[in-house]
Amino acid sequence: MKIEHAHTIPLREILFKLGLKPLKNHKNTLVYLSPFSLNKTPTFKLYTHTNTWHDSASDCGGTTVEFAQAHLKNHGHHHTETDALRWLKNISFNATLAAQFAPKPQPDFIIRNILPLTHVALLRYLDKRKIERRYIADHFRELRVFNPATRKLFRAIGFRNEEDGYALYNPATERFTKPHAISFIRGTTPKPDSIHLFKDIFDYLSLLSARRSHLLEGDAIILNRYSSLDNAVAYIRNYGYLNCYLWLDNSADGFKAAKLLTPILSLEDNLIIKRMNSLYVPYQSLNDWWIHNPKNLIGNR
């Protein structure tokens, strides 16, 4: 990896992959706990407009490469520029997955209110998709959202992701608020050997209904959109899963996502990738299949 390329890797993505989330968000500045000290006061500042950083606790800062060097040094590793470039290549290798999917640009929606889901039209929308009412409280909220492009408010079903963004659904549209990320749902088994990957929350809930269950035994990742594939890989790598079930669409994007994921996930020791989409052919998605076959069952695997 060339140093010019390394400097373009968003530091925010690297920090996320290291398990760090911003505690404060000012204009163009994200504030974190220091990854280089035990200080419980947030001292690490990320300047998103320049992709640079400074940590007052350790009195250091700089570029993406200099962050990598500081991280390696803090963990007792060799930390030359060459070492940093190698580390950045390894941690960001899957970022190219997102580039394979180009979602349409959307306005920066602003959430005005987050409420329990009670609106009749939104509940009917879930009924139409054969989503059982017993799942609503755990997974959905009713959002009032401002669209700055039209200067209007609209109501939508909100499904939260791991970065506190939302997938937005209503009878007229499917949209997203920033930041974009996957949603992770822990299964009933404390240290499961299986991970299930879904395009959206409706496919996940369709499988629960088809198994007459409230949770899966294994963990689940909801992509929310295919451009979150790199985010999903970061959750799966090095955890020790033995089985990865892909419940993706029977569509061009679904096939592409499975094709891209398979060689990357195959690098994990003992992980077996299982494509499940043949179970719901000729329907495009698992939810489409469930809408037309609401009494059928899919056994545990």
Side-chain angles (χ1 to χ4, degrees):
M1 176 181 287
K2 294 183 178 180
I3 194 167
E4 294 82 6
H5 178 205
H7 286 157
T8 68
I9 300 172
L11 273 167
R12 179 173 183 168
E13 292 184 9
I14 294 173
L15 292 170
F16 178 78
K17 290 178 180 179
L18 293 175
L20 299 171
K21 295 184 179 181
L23 301 182
K24 298 179 182 179
N25 188 347
H26 303 300
K27 186 177 181 180
N28 296 326
T29 304
L30 302 176
V31 185
Y32 299 76
L33 292 175
S34 172
F36 308 127
S37 76
L38 299 178
N39 196 329
K40 294 185 178 181
T41 301
T43 60
F44 185 97
K45 293 184 178 180
L46 167 58
Y47 306 105
T48 56
H49 61 301
T50 59
N51 200 37
T52 57
W53 61 281
H54 183 265
D55 180 31
S56 58
S58 57
D59 193 26
C60 58
T63 64
T64 303
V65 173
E66 287 163 322
F67 173 83
Q69 289 180 282
H71 174 80
L72 291 170
K73 181 180 179 180
N74 190 55
H75 285 77
H77 302 307
H78 295 298
H79 52 279
T80 66
E81 184 177 282
T82 301
D83 295 320
L85 292 174
R86 185 184 304 113
W87 182 81
L88 286 167
K89 182 179 180 180
N90 289 336
I91 199 171
S92 65
F93 82 102
N94 55 358
T96 55
L97 291 176
Q100 302 294 322
F101 300 91
K104 295 179 180 179
Q106 293 187 145
D108 290 334
F109 298 115
I110 301 169
I111 297 174
R112 296 297 196 202
N113 302 98
I114 301 176
L115 307 165
L117 179 52
T118 59
H119 194 276
V120 173
L122 298 179
L123 291 172
R124 286 176 179 168
Y125 171 76
L126 292 180
D127 290 341
K128 187 176 180 180
R129 300 195 70 157
K130 293 293 189 291
I131 301 302
E132 297 181 62
R133 297 287 179 97
R134 64 185 175 125
Y135 298 132
I136 289 177
D138 287 341
H139 300 290
F140 298 122
R141 296 293 180 267
E142 181 178 318
L143 306 184
R144 292 181 71 248
V145 185
F146 177 70
N147 184 343
T150 62
R151 310 296 299 175
K152 293 182 179 180
L153 287 167
F154 65 92
R155 292 179 186 270
I157 297 166
F159 174 62
R160 191 179 67 83
N161 66 37
E162 296 305 304
E163 285 283 277
D164 293 327
Y166 280 85
L168 306 175
Y169 302 97
N170 65 30
T173 189
E174 176 180 322
R175 302 183 180 187
F176 305 90
T177 68
K178 294 180 180 178
H180 306 306
I182 61 104
S183 302
F184 184 83
I185 301 175
R186 184 69 69 187
T188 58
T189 304
K191 176 67 176 176
D193 62 8
S194 297
I195 181 77
H196 298 259
L197 197 65
F198 301 87
K199 178 197 172 187
D200 60 37
I201 183 61
F202 301 116
D203 290 336
Y204 169 76
L205 295 178
S206 296
L207 182 61
L208 292 189
S209 291
R211 289 186 173 179
R212 307 298 190 262
S213 177
H214 194 73
L215 281 172
L216 299 177
E217 292 181 5
D219 295 336
I221 289 175
I222 317 300
L223 291 172
N224 294 311
R225 59 184 197 173
Y226 283 122
S227 57
S228 296
L229 282 177
D230 57 327
N231 195 192
V233 171
Y235 268 74
I236 296 171
R237 290 187 70 204
N238 301 318
Y239 183 83
Y241 293 116
L242 300 180
N243 299 288
C244 179
Y245 298 97
L246 304 182
W247 303 87
L248 304 179
D249 283 357
N250 289 310
S251 67
D253 280 349
F255 298 144
K256 182 198 289 188
K259 184 177 180 180
L260 290 168
L261 281 171
T262 299
I264 293 174
L265 295 180
S266 295
L267 298 174
E268 296 296 298
D269 291 340
N270 304 313
L271 180 64
I272 299 173
I273 298 99
K274 301 180 180 181
R275 300 188 187 187
M276 310 304 291
N277 55 301
S278 62
L279 293 179
Y280 38 96
V281 170
Y283 301 100
Q284 177 168 307
S285 71
L286 182 55
N287 181 239
D288 289 337
W289 171 84
W290 178 244
I291 289 170
H292 292 88
N293 301 273
K295 295 184 179 181
N296 285 15
L297 296 176
I298 295 178
N300 291 322
R301 290 171 178 262

